[in-house]
Amino acid sequence: MAQRSTLKRSLGLWAIVALGLGYMTPTTVFDTFGIVSGDTFGVVPTAYLVALVVMLFTALSYGKMVRVFSSAGSAYTYTRQTMHPALGFLVGWSALLDYLLLPLVNAVLIRIYLVSLFPSVPSWIWVLAYVGCVTGVNVWSMRSTSRLNTVLVVFASVLIVVFLVLTAKELLAGMGEGTLVSAQPLWHQGVTTPAVLAGTTVVAFSFIGFDAVTMYSEEAKDQRVMPRAILLTVLIGGVIFFLGAWFTQLAFPNGTHFANSDDTLPEIGLLVGGKVFQILFIACAFAATAASGLASHASVSRLLHVMGRNGVLAPKRLFGYIHPKFRTPLFPVLLTGAVSLLAIGPSLELVSSMINFGALIAFTFVNLSVIAHYVVRQRRYKTAPDLLRYLVLPLIGAALTGILWYFLHADALIAGLVWCGIGVVYLAVLTRGFRRPVGSLGIEEAEGEEDQPPRNASSSASWAGTK
């Protein structure tokens, strides 16, 4: 029997962190500043702090689960293994809405940037060229994807540091608040808690990407670095977002400076550093978006591959196939590229409004998976430390995610529910009217993976359904 190809373990800690940061697109803080400043009455840094706290609780849950289940698949794998295969499928299906659409959003952004610079060139040419490059790099190797992503992330980070220095100089010269130390960006008269939470629901999704690093579990050189990679991605991303928001809020205490509050990055660059810096700042945004495109394309192809390998996406022979030379999931990468080509038509607002639903589904069920695995299966609730780690903290993470659910935009909720409905119909067809157990659709895990079965008899029934 021929040996089956597997994903290549080529990623170190900082390569994984860079992929997570690339996915998060650090320049988002400047693009959305005008919108969030209006929503929060001028306390954008506070919104980012609240979002960081919410994400840290969920990041801790991701760290716990990735120690137990080493395969790629993230929330899909964790829910499938700890609760039920059918529920795992629906979580994975919901997360696909987020993962599949983000590469499409990045392609739309690239199209917008390039059309603004070269209006005489048809927009479809830019989409075709960009998607072709990103898809080609992802097919070629994960190491090539990682290296190019790292270069783009470093470039964007350097430009953000230059922005902070220029803004500090302008502040000390009298711009905005005229100081580097002030409580105004955090709280002032007229600010309300509901307003801050409304802003938090917008900026929280800037953090989407820290969870995507779990998709690279099977490509990490050392599986033990994954929990650290998750936390570092959240913390470094959170610091970048907070510092960017802090200095920008000091320089622009209200939104009266901006002619276009929907995308303030170009105007921020112009007002802080002049025309030359504005061009560099737009280039920074372009690099950050391209990095996000590479990382998000790689992530969703891994999720599609794992779901196909498990037999819940058909045909299994295509979704589960690993190219023997490049050691990458060929068909999922090409499929993601094909979906990204839809960026030729839709608007950014239409596509981005649909992303949030899948992310919140994933965050919620990762927190619940910790409780299902450690408390229900392993009964680790008899000591105070275990009770705190495996019950209280995940419950707080789930509750804080619930707050974001409450403020979710109606369009995103409707689109998400329709997508889930399609998933239920697909699952019914795949299981012949739910007469076949989901776990019987394919081999549960790839040969050589380290996922662990439950350690007590009480979970044997649910585990049996996955085998």
Side-chain angles (χ1 to χ4, degrees):
M1 182 175 177
Q3 186 176 2
R4 183 169 55 84
S5 298
T6 58
L7 296 171
K8 186 176 182 179
R9 290 194 174 273
S10 60
L11 301 178
L13 171 64
W14 291 107
I16 296 171
V17 171
L19 283 164
L21 293 176
Y23 200 121
M24 291 167 73
T25 321
T27 54
T28 300
V29 61
F30 308 108
D31 285 310
T32 60
F33 177 82
I35 297 172
V36 181
S37 184
D39 289 344
T40 61
F41 301 107
V43 288
V44 178
T46 302
Y48 273 104
L49 277 180
V50 175
L52 176 59
V53 171
V54 174
M55 294 304 131
L56 278 174
F57 278 100
T58 301
L60 290 172
S61 291
Y62 271 103
K64 291 182 179 70
M65 297 312 296
V66 80
R67 287 189 180 96
V68 180
F69 302 107
S70 65
S71 66
S74 193
Y76 157 73
T77 295
Y78 308 151
T79 307
R80 177 182 173 90
Q81 296 283 36
T82 63
M83 298 183 191
H84 194 278
L87 184 59
F89 167 80
L90 291 176
V91 169
W93 180 266
S94 300
L96 276 177
L97 188 63
D98 161 28
Y99 282 107
L100 269 175
L101 288 181
L102 193 56
L104 175 58
V105 166
N106 288 313
V108 172
L109 285 170
I110 292 294
R111 184 197 74 195
I112 292 171
Y113 291 148
L114 291 175
V115 167
S116 67
L117 292 174
F118 307 98
S120 61
V121 179
S123 62
W124 64 267
I125 292 179
W126 297 124
V127 174
L128 197 62
Y130 166 76
V131 171
C133 290
V134 170
T135 303
V137 171
N138 270 280
V139 167
W140 182 258
S141 76
M142 190 63 229
R143 179 174 292 179
S144 298
T145 302
S146 171
R147 286 175 176 172
L148 181 54
N149 171 83
T150 301
V151 170
L152 294 171
V153 168
V154 169
F155 174 72
S157 300
V158 169
L159 263 294
I160 291 174
V161 171
V162 173
F163 165 80
L164 298 180
V165 172
L166 290 175
T167 306
K169 180 180 177 181
E170 292 297 324
L171 285 168
L172 294 177
M175 186 180 190
E177 295 288 349
T179 178
L180 299 179
V181 181
S182 173
Q184 292 298 305
L186 293 177
W187 202 271
H188 53 257
Q189 188 174 5
V191 177
T192 64
T193 300
V196 172
L197 291 176
T200 300
T201 61
V202 177
V203 305
F205 301 107
S206 300
F207 287 87
I208 293 175
F210 83 84
D211 61 314
V213 303
T214 60
M215 293 293 176
Y216 311 122
S217 293
E218 293 179 42
E219 291 159 285
K221 293 178 181 178
D222 185 347
Q223 172 66 24
R224 292 171 296 181
V225 307
M226 291 306 300
R228 205 174 354 148
I230 295 168
L231 279 177
L232 283 172
T233 301
V234 174
L235 289 172
I236 294 173
V239 169
I240 293 173
F241 289 138
F242 178 78
L243 288 176
W246 176 267
F247 278 84
T248 306
Q249 194 74 76
L250 284 173
F252 308 103
N254 54 65
T256 59
H257 303 80
F258 308 117
N260 179 19
S261 61
D262 289 340
D263 187 356
T264 49
L265 183 143
E267 290 182 79
I268 290 172
L270 178 63
L271 293 171
V272 168
K275 190 64 178 178
V276 173
F277 181 72
Q278 181 190 38
I279 295 172
L280 289 173
F281 212 38
I282 293 175
C284 169
F286 187 95
T289 303
S292 180
L294 281 167
S296 58
H297 197 120
S299 296
V300 68
S301 62
R302 271 64 184 169
L303 177 58
L304 289 168
H305 167 66
V306 172
M307 293 182 74
R309 189 176 67 195
N310 292 159
V312 296
L313 286 182
K316 178 181 176 180
R317 62 182 297 176
L318 288 180
F319 281 100
Y321 175 73
I322 296 290
H323 193 282
K325 179 180 179 181
F326 302 135
R327 307 276 292 278
T328 55
L330 181 62
F331 180 73
V333 170
L334 295 177
L335 178 61
T336 304
V339 172
S340 298
L341 288 176
L342 296 175
I344 292 172
S347 68
L348 178 62
E349 183 178 5
L350 174 65
V351 180
S352 59
S353 66
M354 300 170 63
I355 290 180
N356 301 343
F357 183 89
L360 287 181
I361 287 283
F363 293 166
T364 300
F365 277 91
V366 168
N367 282 303
L368 296 179
S369 294
V370 173
I371 299 172
H373 179 75
Y374 287 99
V375 176
V376 177
R377 287 184 167 190
Q378 296 191 346
R379 302 185 183 279
R380 297 187 63 175
Y381 53 80
K382 298 178 181 179
T383 66
D386 279 355
L387 196 64
L388 177 65
R389 284 195 295 263
Y390 305 126
L391 181 61
V392 175
L393 293 181
L395 279 177
I396 293 174
L400 292 175
T401 305
I403 294 175
L404 301 184
W405 271 109
Y406 179 80
F407 286 94
L408 188 66
H409 195 280
D411 290 343
L413 184 60
I414 293 171
L417 291 175
V418 170
W419 178 254
C420 281
I422 295 172
V424 171
V425 172
Y426 173 79
L427 187 61
V429 172
L430 202 63
T431 58
R432 299 176 184 175
F434 302 107
R435 290 192 296 270
R436 295 175 62 194
V438 179
S440 69
L441 297 175
I443 299 172
E444 172 62 21
E445 296 299 338
E447 197 173 4
E449 289 177 1
E450 301 167 7
D451 291 3
Q452 301 173 9
R455 300 180 183 179
N456 59 68
S458 64
S459 59
S460 59
S462 62
W463 183 262
T466 69
K467 293 294 179 183

